[in-house]
Amino acid sequence: MAASNLLALIDDIATLLDDVASMTKVAARKTAGVLGDDLALNAEQVSGVRADRELPVVWAVAKGSLVNKMILVPGALAISYFIPWLIIPLLMIGGLFLCFEGFEKVFHTFFHSAEGDEVHKAELKKAVEDSSVDLVAFENRKIKGAVRTDFILSAEIIVLTLGTVAGASLATQLGVLVGISLIVTVGVYGLVAGIVKLDDLGLYLVRKPDAADITKIIGRGILKAAPMLMKGLSIVGTIAMFMVGGGILVHGLPFLHHFIEQLNTGLNEIVMVFLPVLLEALVGIAAGGVVFLVIGLGKKLFGKESDI
């Protein structure tokens, strides 16, 4: 009898772990767009910090990110248990925010003045080089800003994950949310640490006294590739934000979902794969533009400056 109960318990645990693993994979795919943007944003947040302080700053932000998720995961579980009807509205709000954030980045890229960017870079350089500047306070401001940004992005990831596991048991929801939180934190900040030290690796290879010519060529290649990698991550993250945000909105609005399904009927198989993704991204761009305009008008009406 005891052996039978033990086997039943092991079977239940195995089933639970299998469910957690399967749902974690699905949640990871759905949050990929946020992760790309999270990676690019956090790598940018560390810019302006002295080279020997980059990794300690990344570690401090990573610890802040874990604290954020320790707050968000219980909150998400409470919503799922006590007010599950709130999950869909939260998903829609998260989708709209993703689309708005993506549109704001695109708008900033095309219409923000280059002079403003140069001024910002000059301020960062002065802060690092000026011995009279309190570098501890400067770092703390950087860390607090990055942790605030992480809280917003982590909330988006948790809400998207919660939507994936909404119908599962409480234990499965907890396992998936904790699993995604740990994977995201370790993965994102591990990659951020690697990205911010790429230029140091390139410089080391170029300046190494006994380095072979091929080693120096590789070093110069890394130095050239590092800023392009940052830009590429930002572009991919922005596109993914429109795709993920638009997908959330389409699936949350049945009439849009059915309309896209009808358009996709009877088409070539390749077109059937890519057309819904393209249409969802276009919905995301349109939704982001509407929210961006509404917020810009709101700022003007309430007497606040706007970038529009």
Side-chain angles (χ1 to χ4, degrees), residues 37 39 49 68 75 86 109 112 150 155-156 170 176 204 227 252 276 278 280 284 299:
D37 195 59
L39 184 60
V49 177
N68 286 340
L86 194 58
T109 300
H112 190 70
D150 176 272
E156 293 174 17
L170 188 63
V176 173
Y204 170 77
L278 175 62
E280 287 172 2
K299 287 179 178 179

Side-chain angles (χ1 to χ4, degrees), residues 99 103 239 242-243 246-247 249-250 260 275-289:
C99 297
F103 194 92
I239 293 170
F242 287 129
M243 292 168 60
L249 297 177
V250 167
I260 290 176
L275 182 61
V277 176
L278 175 62
L279 292 175
E280 287 172 2
L282 291 174
V283 169
I285 293 169

Side-chain angles (χ1 to χ4, degrees), residues 193-217:
I195 289 169
V196 299
K197 301 308 287 184
L198 270 179
D199 52 355
D200 289 346
L201 174 62
L203 282 173
Y204 170 77
L205 294 176
V206 170
R207 294 175 177 175
K208 193 176 178 183
D210 57 344
D213 290 341
I214 184 66
T215 302
K216 292 184 178 181
I217 290 171

Side-chain angles (χ1 to χ4, degrees), residues 55-68:
L55 291 183
V57 168
V58 171
W59 172 237
V61 178
K63 288 190 289 185
S65 177
L66 283 173
V67 172
N68 286 340

Side-chain angles (χ1 to χ4, degrees), residues 250-251 253-267 272 275-277 279-280:
V250 167
H251 287 86
L253 298 170
F255 72 92
L256 264 180
H257 183 58
H258 294 321
F259 176 71
I260 290 176
E261 279 187 336
Q262 288 175 354
L263 286 178
N264 214 29
T265 304
L267 298 176
M272 288 178 71
L275 182 61
V277 176
L279 292 175
E280 287 172 2

